[in-house]
Amino acid sequence: EDQVTQSPEALRLQEGESSSLNCSYTVSGLRGLFWYRQDPGKGPEFLFTLYSAGEEKEKERLKATLTKKESFLHITAPKPEDSATYLCAVQAVRVYSGAGSYQLTFGKGTKLSVIP
Amino acid sequence: KAGVTQTPRYLIKTRGQQVTLSCSPISGHRSVSWYQQTPGQGLQFLFEYFSETQRNKGNFPGRFSGRQFSNSRSEMNVSTLELGDSALYLCASSQTAAAPGRGGQNIQYFGAGTRLSVL
């Protein structure tokens, strides 16, 4: 069974204080690891997808990295508008009724609060 | 390009009733997945449809069902509602159900969700 564990559950940072969020996973046949951002009352917003160990992707103040067992989301000099819940998900191919399907398994998220 | 649209945004029902939620995927996307999000369990996969066929199913009781139409729009139905069904129901669309490599076809884009409250 695929498992995704995110830590910490909640993180409170001062504006400009850099930090990292962790996502550890166990999955059979990883096809991709995804990071999403979710604001209150909204659906998850796609940020990054990583496919192989050693891969890195950046977007503004965010940088995602991937190893064989975990992924990190580094936040550099965060601003209050970065406050949100960050979700990590692994994607694997599952066969159901003879058909292949990409299934996402999510962690429970890290709630980030950036204080001005 | 319009995003994933879910209707209605909010629903209040009572125990024992049934409910139907609707999802219109991004134009050109053929795969639609449904998730239930609760504070305790996070996002849990319900099922996925591709070309009007259920391609995958999560570990939920048979009260939860869905379908997809020829225009890729999807509906999910929950019958005999229970208090524990109160949740945010999210729909996500992607270009294809199964695509190799890094083409981005397997990225799932989410709608804003339907907040269901069961009283």
Side-chain angles (χ1 to χ4, degrees):
Chain A
E1 182 179 328
D2 302 338
Q3 289 193 332
V4 180
T5 302
Q6 291 188 247
S7 61
E9 289 185 16
L11 181 62
R12 191 179 171 92
L13 298 173
Q14 289 294 129
E15 184 173 1
E17 179 187 1
S18 301
S19 187
S20 295
L21 313 182
N22 177 263
C23 170
S24 61
Y25 62 89
T26 55
V27 62
S28 176
L30 178 72
R31 294 301 189 200
L33 185 138
F34 294 74
W35 283 98
Y36 287 85
R37 166 192 171 130
Q38 187 174 25
D39 293 298
K42 297 187 177 181
E45 174 189 350
F46 171 74
L47 292 174
F48 304 107
T49 181
L50 302 165
Y51 292 99
S52 56
E55 191 173 357
E56 299 181 352
K57 287 193 177 173
E58 289 188 62
K59 179 181 180 179
E60 297 182 357
R61 295 176 292 282
L62 300 176
K63 178 179 176 181
T65 62
L66 180 65
T67 72
K68 288 187 177 180
K69 293 185 177 181
E70 57 191 350
S71 177
F72 293 93
L73 184 65
H74 307 277
I75 303 176
T76 302
K79 298 182 178 182
E81 53 262 41
D82 295 323
S83 297
T85 296
Y86 290 85
L87 299 166
C88 169
V90 294
Q91 191 170 58
V93 175
R94 293 291 173 257
V95 178
Y96 176 78
S97 297
S101 161
Y102 277 72
Q103 177 173 326
L104 281 179
T105 300
F106 281 84
K108 294 188 178 181
T110 293
K111 184 176 181 180
L112 174 66
S113 301
V114 182
I115 312 303
Chain B
K1 197 172 188 182
V4 178
T5 304
Q6 292 189 245
T7 56
R9 288 296 313 277
Y10 303 94
L11 268 177
I12 300 175
K13 293 286 186 179
T14 56
R15 279 182 299 173
Q17 287 187 309
Q18 74 165 18
V19 67
T20 299
L21 313 182
S22 179
C23 172
S24 293
I26 292 171
S27 178
H29 285 194
R30 298 170 65 190
S31 172
V32 173
S33 297
W34 287 90
Y35 296 84
Q36 181 194 67
Q37 187 175 32
T38 59
Q41 299 298 319
L43 272 102
Q44 293 186 289
F45 173 73
L46 280 158
F47 29 66
E48 182 212 1
Y49 286 86
F50 178 75
S51 292
E52 302 178 65
T53 301
Q54 187 178 84
R55 287 300 186 97
N56 200 353
K57 187 177 188 300
N59 190 24
F60 277 81
R63 300 185 296 107
F64 292 82
S65 63
R67 58 178 177 169
Q68 187 180 34
F69 302 95
S70 58
N71 62 356
S72 294
R73 191 177 70 84
S74 178
E75 290 181 346
M76 69 162 281
N77 184 276
V78 188
S79 63
T80 319
L81 284 166
E82 300 177 0
L83 295 178
D85 296 333
S86 295
L88 180 66
Y89 289 88
L90 292 161
C91 164
S93 75
S94 62
Q95 287 182 289
T96 184
R102 307 168 177 221
Q105 299 98 322
N106 56 334
I107 296 173
Q108 294 187 15
Y109 297 92
F110 285 81
T114 295
R115 172 73 62 183
L116 173 64
S117 298
V118 182
L119 306 178

